[in-house]
């Protein structure tokens, strides 16, 4: 992956470029975290914590799992994740 704006550290989505990241129990994620995942799904860009502006585009698939039924997921998860 590409180096994060802070220099020597990459996030999991950058490290997984070309692969897949599985996020289990999406319902346990905070609304803010769900929104950040939704933003990544819309743009394929990551941004290092504490930086401004758009980060690099990464080619990483995300698979989110949940124990909820489809109706429950539609009501409780961020719309971009459903």
């Amino acid at each position: 992956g590409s180096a994060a704006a802070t220099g020597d550290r990459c996030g999991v989505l950058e490290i997984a470029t070309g692969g897949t990241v599985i996020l289990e129990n999406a319902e346990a994620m905070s609304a803010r975290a769900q929104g950040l995942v939704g933003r990544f799904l819309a743009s394929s860009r990551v941004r290092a914590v504490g930086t401004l502006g758009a980060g690099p585009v990464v080619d990483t698939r995300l698979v989110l799992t949940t124990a909820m039924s489809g109706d429950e997921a539609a009501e409780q998860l961020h719309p971009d994740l459903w």
Side-chain angles (χ1 to χ4, degrees):
S2 60
T6 57
D8 59 349
R9 297 180 67 169
C10 293
V12 68
L13 295 173
E14 286 180 279
I15 292 168
T17 294
T20 302
V21 172
I22 300 172
L23 300 176
E24 297 179 339
N25 300 318
E27 68 273 15
M29 293 172 36
S30 69
R32 182 174 185 277
Q34 290 183 28
L36 291 172
V37 170
R39 183 170 62 195
F40 169 74
L41 292 172
S43 69
S44 297
R45 291 187 177 275
V46 295
R47 186 176 66 184
V49 174
T51 62
L52 300 175
V57 173
V58 296
D59 178 23
T60 304
R61 286 181 302 258
L62 278 182
V63 175
L64 280 71
T65 68
T66 181
M68 296 187 291
S69 71
D71 291 338
E72 290 174 313
E75 291 175 9
Q76 295 182 30
L77 294 178
H78 190 281
D80 290 339
L81 304 184
W82 173 240

